[in-house]
Amino acid sequence: MGPRMGARRLAALAAGALLLLCGVTAGTEGVVPAGTAPAAYHREPRQRTVSVAPLVGRPERPNVLVIMTDDARNDDLRFMPHVRHLIGDQGVRFTNTFSPQPLCCPARASFLTGEYSHNHHVWSHAPPYGFQALHDASTLPVWLNQAGYDTSFLGKYLNGYGVQPLRTGEPSLRYVPPGWTDWRGSVDGGITAGSALDGGTYRYFDTTLNDNGRLMPHQGVYQTTLLGQLTRDELRQQVASPRPFFSWVSYVAPHHGGPTEADDPAPVRRADGTTQVFQNPARPRRVWGRFDSVVTHAPGYEGERDVQDKPFFIRNLPKLTPDEERGVLADARQRAEALSLVDRQVALTMRTLRQTGQLRNTYVVFTSDNGFFLGEHRMRQGKILPYEPSLRVPLMVRGPGIPKGQVRTDPFTLIDFAPTILEAAGVQVPSTVDGESLLGVARRGDRGWRRGILTETGPRLVSQDAEESDNFLENASGPSPLRFSQGVRTGDYLYVEHASRERELYDLRSDPREVTNLVDRPGTRSVVRLLAHELDLLRNCQGAACRRPLPPRLRTAAPAAPLPDGRPD
């Protein structure tokens, strides 16, 4: 590996010199002509270390490409016409896709393991949880690699990667998790400030990747553009392999990240006298204002004037002031601008798949790790809480055997990705997996909402922004400090129990925005009993027990015929 790494380093130095000669400086996007592979992104062919015997010729087993965004809402698809046309119109859109614990790190752990948080134990991004809490010896890439797949990762991994130590106590800065034949994870830190290698996951123009154990800084290139180009380079290299591939490309957008910019909303005073600081994604200047005429008001629910039936952590929030509403509006616009750049990279990636002849035999998946609040329920920013803007994420899938332009309403969650991908690859699903494969639903149509979806909230609830360190548990009397809130989501209801002894029930048929809490209404007692019983069965479920069918009264029938895909919500 020494000579190979030396050659990579020389290539990186040459690339840096070329950038300087071309006048590329920090703050520029570094756009390159379509179809080219500039020296800035050059990588030598990777060494593969899989122990599986190579197959003869290009296998019939399908490839899988998962494109994941960070904090994208379901309704953000309206800013992504290429994703809608090239993936959704050529495949199916799942309209009921959820993040069981809507927080980056637990959600990504569920994607990798197919397990709920109470089984993989990655409860939050803060120590002692985060990256270091994941047992990564048995995950989706490990299972696929053992079955003969090339596996590649690019972008944001689990929070704390590069900063938190491994379970053995060793540093993770140059750690390559098992199962990946090609690894380029962005590090969250852990590098000496000011050094040539200094860069981070949330620094949009200054990202450092762990390139198979070697730190590679990428300064002055907009991160979304970088990840898109590296994805396409990977796809071109993959043509030479006799093995099928699984690739997870993990964009940071529209998650907030630096540097701060002139059009960012300024901190404002809240009605309770505290200061609201808005955090937004950095974008290249050329897209500033792109959606100002489209996004004319924040998505937050208008008309929810009374929150007295909500739990204390919502009930105690002051109303948004006009200045705060303008701040949320600015955040919504900047997120849309950041996502439009991901949309462009998806279009170029799809073209490369087609040009290399791999599109026909590749499942392409577009999704997000969790949703995001933009003013709903007085939440200025954030996620974590078990309400629709936070739980619901986009999902579009195209690939072999999947019909074009149809909608699926059966529930799909982060724990279902692993078994779905494994079935597509012809690999047996481990018994530890809590989710179920939805490949048959994607191909043949809905079966009906027949299982309850567990929602879990970990020990740290972020009420307004990622820097705030509220600890709502000091007001709670629940028995488990690891799960402040647990709920069950069905096709018609959301029922939640909090450690504060407060409960919530929403009839999603008549109240899709979850404005009116019905839990103490006399007419809902029977359905509350049913839902509370289902929650008791799910809260500590494992494996097949997590997929148990709902009682008939709580099920929702499938549509009579497949639904044509329309405009995004």
Side-chain angles (χ1 to χ4, degrees), residues 531-546:
L531 290 165
H533 179 65
E534 290 303 310
L535 178 56
D536 284 341
L537 294 173
L538 286 173
R539 67 174 79 244
N540 294 310
C541 69
Q542 292 182 331
C546 300

Side-chain angles (χ1 to χ4, degrees), residues 452 454 486-488 490 495-497 503 524-541 545 548-552 554:
L454 179 68
Q486 287 182 289
V488 59
T490 72
Y495 172 75
V496 185
E497 295 178 356
R503 300 180 301 161
T524 65
R525 288 174 182 168
S526 61
V527 73
V528 166
R529 282 195 297 269
L530 279 174
L531 290 165
H533 179 65
E534 290 303 310
L535 178 56
D536 284 341
L537 294 173
L538 286 173
R539 67 174 79 244
N540 294 310
C541 69
R548 64 181 305 280
L550 288 165
L554 295 179

Side-chain angles (χ1 to χ4, degrees), residues 246-270:
F246 164 70
S247 181
W248 179 16
V249 180
S250 180
Y251 287 95
V252 174
H255 192 285
H256 68 82
T260 56
E261 297 170 312
D263 68 336
D264 290 344
V268 298
R269 182 74 63 178
R270 300 193 336 182

Side-chain angles (χ1 to χ4, degrees), residues 295-325:
V295 184
T296 57
H297 64 278
Y301 303 152
E302 298 176 0
E304 190 181 12
R305 304 181 184 278
D306 185 2
V307 293
Q308 292 307 302
D309 60 351
K310 293 287 190 294
F312 74 92
F313 48 83
I314 296 294
R315 190 171 62 246
N316 292 347
L317 292 174
K319 293 181 180 179
L320 276 70
T321 66
D323 285 343
E324 287 183 285
E325 292 176 353

Side-chain angles (χ1 to χ4, degrees), residues 233-245:
D233 288 349
E234 177 78 25
L235 293 175
R236 295 186 187 100
Q237 288 186 25
Q238 187 61 41
V239 175
S241 174
R243 292 178 288 271
F245 69 81

Side-chain angles (χ1 to χ4, degrees), residues 29 139 188 306 458 507 551 568:
E29 189 186 357
T139 59
D188 289 358
D306 185 2
D507 186 334

Side-chain angles (χ1 to χ4, degrees), residues 17 42 213 219 235 260 262 326 369 386 416 423 479 483 492 518 565:
H42 173 73
Q219 298 176 344
L235 293 175
T260 56
R326 285 187 286 270
D369 54 358
D416 298 324
E423 183 183 358
R483 288 184 278 186
D492 295 333
L518 302 175
D565 196 6

Side-chain angles (χ1 to χ4, degrees), residues 270-453:
R270 300 193 336 182
D272 60 1
T274 60
T275 300
Q276 172 65 43
V277 178
F278 292 97
Q279 295 183 310
N280 313 89
R283 307 93 56 229
R285 187 177 291 270
R286 69 181 182 85
V287 302
W288 290 11
R290 173 175 284 182
F291 295 101
D292 285 5
S293 63
V294 176
V295 184
T296 57
H297 64 278
Y301 303 152
E302 298 176 0
E304 190 181 12
R305 304 181 184 278
D306 185 2
V307 293
Q308 292 307 302
D309 60 351
K310 293 287 190 294
F312 74 92
F313 48 83
I314 296 294
R315 190 171 62 246
N316 292 347
L317 292 174
K319 293 181 180 179
L320 276 70
T321 66
D323 285 343
E324 287 183 285
E325 292 176 353
R326 285 187 286 270
V328 175
L329 174 59
D331 185 21
R333 288 170 170 171
Q334 292 194 13
R335 286 167 48 86
E337 292 160 8
L339 281 170
S340 72
L341 297 172
V342 176
D343 188 56
R344 171 63 176 165
Q345 296 305 316
V346 171
L348 296 174
T349 296
M350 297 301 293
R351 182 169 69 180
T352 300
L353 275 173
R354 185 177 295 106
Q355 290 172 341
T356 56
Q358 300 173 99
L359 182 58
R360 180 187 63 83
N361 196 39
T362 300
Y363 287 99
V364 182
V365 179
F366 178 86
T367 190
S368 177
D369 54 358
N370 49 254
F372 199 75
F373 288 106
L374 287 171
E376 297 90 350
H377 309 308
R378 300 188 180 179
M379 293 288 293
R380 281 74 171 165
Q381 292 183 307
K383 49 233 181 180
I384 297 181
L385 300 178
Y387 302 117
E388 290 290 287
S390 177
L391 292 177
R392 189 180 289 273
V393 298
L395 175 58
M396 292 185 168
V397 184
R398 64 171 290 173
I402 295 181
K404 296 182 179 180
Q406 293 186 9
V407 166
R408 301 291 184 255
T409 61
D410 279 5
F412 197 119
T413 77
L414 269 290
I415 65 172
D416 298 324
F417 279 104
T420 300
I421 292 170
L422 289 174
E423 183 183 358
V427 179
Q428 183 174 358
V429 178
S431 61
T432 56
V433 167
D434 300 331
E436 67 180 10
S437 172
L438 274 294
L439 183 64
V441 171
R443 287 174 170 173
R444 295 182 290 275
D446 289 312
R447 298 172 300 194
W449 195 314
R450 305 185 301 192
R451 59 174 172 150
I453 302 301

